[in-house]
Every structure is written in C-alpha cells, then in structure tokens.
Coordinates of all heavy atoms in Angstrom, one line a residue:
H1 N 147.6 124.7 45.1 CA 146.5 124.8 46.0 C 146.5 123.6 47.0 O 146.2 123.8 48.2 CB 145.1 124.7 45.2 CG 144.9 126.0 44.4 ND1 145.1 127.3 44.9 CD2 144.4 126.2 43.2 CE1 144.8 128.2 44.0 NE2 144.4 127.5 43.0
T2 N 146.8 122.4 46.5 CA 146.9 121.3 47.4 C 148.0 121.5 48.5 O 147.8 121.2 49.7 CB 147.2 120.0 46.6 OG1 146.2 119.8 45.7 CG2 147.3 118.8 47.5
S3 N 149.1 122.0 48.1 CA 150.2 122.3 49.0 C 149.8 123.3 50.0 O 150.1 123.1 51.2 CB 151.4 122.8 48.2 OG 152.5 123.1 49.1
A4 N 149.1 124.4 49.6 CA 148.7 125.4 50.5 C 147.7 124.8 51.5 O 147.7 125.1 52.7 CB 148.1 126.6 49.8
A5 N 146.8 124.0 51.0 CA 145.8 123.4 51.9 C 146.4 122.5 52.9 O 146.1 122.5 54.1 CB 144.8 122.6 51.1
R6 N 147.4 121.7 52.5 CA 148.1 120.8 53.4 C 148.9 121.6 54.5 O 148.9 121.2 55.7 CB 149.1 119.9 52.7 CG 148.4 119.0 51.7 CD 147.8 117.8 52.4 NE 147.2 116.9 51.4 CZ 146.0 116.4 51.5 NH1 145.3 116.7 52.6 NH2 145.5 115.7 50.6
R7 N 149.5 122.7 54.1 CA 150.2 123.6 55.1 C 149.2 124.2 56.1 O 149.4 124.2 57.3 CB 150.9 124.7 54.4 CG 152.2 124.3 53.8 CD 153.1 125.6 53.4 NE 152.4 126.5 52.5 CZ 152.2 126.4 51.2 NH1 152.8 125.4 50.6 NH2 151.6 127.3 50.5
A8 N 148.0 124.6 55.6 CA 147.0 125.2 56.5 C 146.5 124.1 57.5 O 146.3 124.3 58.7 CB 145.8 125.7 55.7
I9 N 146.3 122.9 57.0 CA 145.8 121.8 57.8 C 146.9 121.5 58.9 O 146.5 121.3 60.1 CB 145.5 120.5 57.0 CG1 144.3 120.8 56.1 CG2 145.4 119.3 57.9 CD1 144.0 119.7 55.1
T10 N 148.1 121.5 58.5 CA 149.2 121.2 59.5 C 149.3 122.3 60.5 O 149.4 122.0 61.7 CB 150.6 121.1 58.7 OG1 150.5 120.0 57.8 CG2 151.7 120.9 59.7
E11 N 149.1 123.5 60.1 CA 149.1 124.6 61.1 C 148.0 124.5 62.1 O 148.2 124.7 63.3 CB 149.0 126.0 60.4 CG 150.2 126.4 59.6 CD 150.0 127.7 58.8 OE1 149.0 128.4 59.1 OE2 150.8 127.9 57.9
V12 N 146.8 124.2 61.6 CA 145.6 124.1 62.5 C 145.8 122.9 63.4 O 145.4 122.9 64.6 CB 144.3 124.0 61.7 CG1 143.1 123.7 62.6 CG2 144.1 125.3 61.0
N13 N 146.3 121.8 62.9 CA 146.5 120.6 63.7 C 147.5 120.8 64.8 O 147.4 120.1 65.8 CB 146.9 119.4 62.8 CG 145.8 118.8 62.0 OD1 144.6 119.0 62.4 ND2 146.1 118.1 61.0
A14 N 148.4 121.7 64.6 CA 149.4 122.0 65.6 C 148.9 122.8 66.8 O 149.6 123.0 67.8 CB 150.6 122.7 64.9
I15 N 147.7 123.4 66.6 CA 147.1 124.2 67.6 C 146.1 123.5 68.4 O 145.2 122.8 67.8 CB 146.5 125.5 67.0 CG1 147.6 126.3 66.2 CG2 145.9 126.4 68.0 CD1 147.1 127.4 65.4
D16 N 146.1 123.6 69.7 CA 145.0 123.0 70.5 C 143.8 123.9 70.5 O 143.7 124.8 71.3 CB 145.5 122.8 72.0 CG 144.5 122.1 72.8 OD1 143.5 121.6 72.3 OD2 144.7 122.1 74.1
I17 N 142.9 123.7 69.6 CA 141.8 124.5 69.4 C 140.7 124.4 70.5 O 139.8 125.1 70.6 CB 141.1 124.4 68.0 CG1 140.7 123.0 67.8 CG2 142.1 124.8 66.9 CD1 139.9 122.8 66.5
T18 N 140.9 123.3 71.3 CA 140.0 123.1 72.4 C 140.4 123.9 73.7 O 139.7 123.9 74.7 CB 139.9 121.6 72.8 OG1 141.2 121.1 73.2 CG2 139.4 120.8 71.6
D19 N 141.6 124.5 73.6 CA 142.1 125.3 74.8 C 141.2 126.5 75.0 O 141.2 127.4 74.1 CB 143.5 125.7 74.5 CG 144.1 126.5 75.6 OD1 143.5 126.7 76.7 OD2 145.3 126.9 75.4
P20 N 140.5 126.6 76.1 CA 139.7 127.8 76.4 C 140.5 129.1 76.5 O 139.9 130.2 76.3 CB 139.0 127.5 77.7 CG 139.8 126.4 78.3 CD 140.5 125.7 77.2
D21 N 141.8 129.0 76.8 CA 142.6 130.2 76.9 C 143.4 130.5 75.6 O 144.4 131.2 75.6 CB 143.6 130.0 78.0 CG 142.9 129.8 79.4 OD1 141.9 130.5 79.6 OD2 143.4 129.0 80.2
L22 N 142.9 129.9 74.5 CA 143.6 130.2 73.2 C 143.6 131.7 72.9 O 142.6 132.3 73.0 CB 142.8 129.4 72.1 CG 143.5 129.3 70.8 CD1 144.8 128.4 70.9 CD2 142.5 128.6 69.8
P23 N 144.8 132.2 72.7 CA 144.9 133.6 72.4 C 144.0 134.1 71.2 O 143.9 133.4 70.2 CB 146.3 133.9 72.1 CG 147.1 132.7 72.6 CD 146.1 131.6 72.6
R24 N 143.4 135.2 71.3 CA 142.6 135.8 70.3 C 143.3 135.9 69.0 O 142.7 135.6 67.9 CB 142.0 137.1 70.7 CG 141.1 137.8 69.6 CD 140.5 139.1 70.2 NE 139.9 139.9 69.1 CZ 138.9 139.6 68.4 NH1 138.2 138.5 68.6 NH2 138.4 140.4 67.4
T25 N 144.6 136.3 69.0 CA 145.3 136.4 67.7 C 145.4 135.0 67.0 O 145.4 135.0 65.8 CB 146.7 137.0 68.0 OG1 147.4 136.1 69.0 CG2 146.7 138.4 68.5
T26 N 145.6 134.0 67.8 CA 145.6 132.6 67.2 C 144.3 132.3 66.6 O 144.3 131.7 65.5 CB 146.0 131.6 68.3 OG1 147.2 132.0 68.9 CG2 146.1 130.2 67.7
V27 N 143.2 132.6 67.2 CA 141.9 132.3 66.7 C 141.7 133.1 65.4 O 141.2 132.6 64.4 CB 140.8 132.7 67.7 CG1 139.4 132.6 67.1 CG2 140.9 131.8 68.9
V28 N 142.1 134.4 65.4 CA 142.0 135.2 64.2 C 142.8 134.7 63.1 O 142.4 134.6 61.9 CB 142.4 136.7 64.5 CG1 142.5 137.5 63.2 CG2 141.3 137.3 65.5
T29 N 144.0 134.2 63.4 CA 144.9 133.6 62.4 C 144.3 132.4 61.8 O 144.3 132.2 60.6 CB 146.3 133.3 63.0 OG1 146.9 134.5 63.5 CG2 147.2 132.7 62.0
I30 N 143.8 131.5 62.6 CA 143.2 130.3 62.1 C 142.0 130.6 61.2 O 141.8 130.1 60.1 CB 142.7 129.4 63.3 CG1 144.0 128.8 64.0 CG2 141.9 128.2 62.8 CD1 143.6 128.1 65.3
T31 N 141.1 131.5 61.7 CA 139.9 131.9 60.9 C 140.3 132.5 59.6 O 139.7 132.2 58.6 CB 139.1 132.8 61.8 OG1 138.8 132.2 63.0 CG2 137.8 133.2 61.0
T32 N 141.3 133.4 59.6 CA 141.8 134.0 58.4 C 142.3 133.0 57.4 O 142.0 133.0 56.2 CB 142.8 135.1 58.7 OG1 142.3 136.0 59.6 CG2 143.3 135.8 57.5
R33 N 143.2 132.1 57.9 CA 143.7 131.0 57.0 C 142.7 130.2 56.4 O 142.7 129.8 55.2 CB 144.7 130.2 57.8 CG 146.0 130.8 58.2 CD 147.0 130.9 57.0 NE 147.5 129.6 56.8 CZ 147.9 129.2 55.5 NH1 147.7 130.0 54.5 NH2 148.4 128.0 55.4
V34 N 141.7 129.8 57.2 CA 140.6 128.9 56.7 C 139.8 129.7 55.7 O 139.5 129.1 54.6 CB 139.7 128.4 57.9 CG1 138.4 127.8 57.3 CG2 140.5 127.4 58.8
K35 N 139.5 130.9 55.9 CA 138.8 131.7 54.9 C 139.5 131.9 53.6 O 139.0 131.7 52.5 CB 138.4 133.1 55.5 CG 137.5 133.9 54.6 CD 138.0 135.4 54.6 CE 137.2 136.2 53.6 NZ 137.7 136.1 52.2
E36 N 140.8 132.2 53.7 CA 141.7 132.3 52.5 C 141.7 131.0 51.8 O 141.6 131.0 50.5 CB 143.1 132.7 52.9 CG 143.2 134.2 53.4 CD 144.6 134.5 54.0 OE1 145.4 133.6 54.2 OE2 144.8 135.7 54.2
L37 N 141.8 129.9 52.5 CA 141.9 128.6 51.9 C 140.6 128.3 51.1 O 140.6 127.8 50.0 CB 142.2 127.5 52.9 CG 142.3 126.1 52.4 CD1 143.5 126.0 51.4 CD2 142.6 125.2 53.6
L38 N 139.5 128.5 51.8 CA 138.2 128.3 51.2 C 138.0 129.2 49.9 O 137.5 128.7 48.9 CB 137.1 128.5 52.2 CG 136.9 127.4 53.3 CD1 135.9 127.9 54.3 CD2 136.6 126.1 52.7
D39 N 138.4 130.4 50.0 CA 138.3 131.3 48.8 C 139.1 130.8 47.7 O 138.7 130.7 46.5 CB 138.8 132.7 49.2 CG 137.8 133.5 50.0 OD1 136.6 133.2 50.0 OD2 138.2 134.6 50.6
M40 N 140.3 130.3 48.0 CA 141.2 129.8 47.0 C 140.7 128.6 46.3 O 140.7 128.4 45.1 CB 142.6 129.5 47.6 CG 143.6 128.9 46.7 SD 145.2 128.6 47.5 CE 144.7 127.4 48.7
L41 N 140.1 127.7 47.2 CA 139.6 126.4 46.6 C 138.3 126.7 45.8 O 138.1 126.0 44.8 CB 139.3 125.4 47.8 CG 140.6 124.9 48.5 CD1 140.2 124.0 49.7 CD2 141.5 124.2 47.5
A42 N 137.5 127.6 46.2 CA 136.3 127.9 45.5 C 136.7 128.5 44.1 O 136.1 128.2 43.1 CB 135.4 128.9 46.3
T43 N 137.7 129.4 44.1 CA 138.1 130.0 42.8 C 138.7 128.9 41.9 O 138.4 128.9 40.7 CB 139.2 131.1 43.1 OG1 138.6 132.1 43.9 CG2 139.7 131.7 41.8
H44 N 139.5 128.0 42.5 CA 140.0 126.9 41.7 C 138.9 126.0 41.1 O 139.0 125.6 40.0 CB 141.0 126.1 42.5 CG 141.8 125.1 41.8 ND1 142.6 125.4 40.7 CD2 141.8 123.8 41.9 CE1 143.2 124.3 40.2 NE2 142.7 123.3 40.9
A45 N 137.9 125.7 42.0 CA 136.8 124.9 41.5 C 136.1 125.6 40.4 O 135.7 124.9 39.4 CB 135.9 124.6 42.7
E46 N 135.9 126.9 40.5 CA 135.2 127.6 39.4 C 136.0 127.6 38.1 O 135.5 127.4 37.0 CB 135.0 129.1 39.8 CG 133.9 129.2 40.9 CD 133.9 130.6 41.5 OE1 134.8 131.4 41.3 OE2 132.9 130.9 42.3
R47 N 137.3 127.7 38.2 CA 138.2 127.6 37.0 C 138.1 126.2 36.4 O 138.1 126.1 35.2 CB 139.6 128.0 37.4 CG 139.8 129.5 37.6 CD 141.3 129.8 38.0 NE 141.4 131.2 38.3 CZ 142.4 131.6 39.1 NH1 143.2 130.8 39.6 NH2 142.4 132.9 39.3
Q48 N 138.1 125.2 37.3 CA 138.1 123.9 36.8 C 136.7 123.6 36.0 O 136.7 123.0 35.0 CB 138.2 122.8 37.9 CG 139.5 122.8 38.6 CD 140.6 122.1 37.7 OE1 140.3 121.6 36.7 NE2 141.8 122.2 38.1

C-alpha cells in the first residue's frame, strides 16, 4: 500500500495540475488514481 501510494504521489507530482489546458483524460486519470488510493487505504485501515 505504501509503495502504491508513493507511485501515485509521484505521478501526480509529475503533472502540472495548475495548467488550465490540462487534458480531460489526465484529470480523469488523476481523479481515478486518487479515488483508488483512498479506497485502498481505507480498506487497509479497517483491516488494521
């Protein structure tokens, strides 16, 4: 889970999210990754 979170953070950091011309697919990808990561972390926290 930590490794997956670090990869997601690296991916998001590599994207200029302040760019007003950011492609919609990139926004969808970022949103999807963040949602998946939050789901995974919540599940892990519940198991813990």
Side-chain angles (χ1 to χ4, degrees):
H1 290 318
T2 302
S3 177
R6 298 281 179 226
R7 279 192 309 275
I9 290 167
T10 300
E11 288 174 18
V12 171
N13 283 340
I15 298 169
D16 181 12
I17 59 173
T18 61
D19 179 4
D21 297 324
L22 193 63
R24 178 173 166 70
T25 56
T26 303
V27 173
V28 170
T29 300
I30 291 171
T31 305
T32 302
R33 288 282 287 147
V34 169
K35 185 220 175 277
E36 289 171 351
L37 182 61
L38 289 173
D39 284 344
M40 179 181 60
L41 292 176
T43 299
H44 187 63
E46 289 167 350
R47 287 180 183 153
Q48 291 287 352

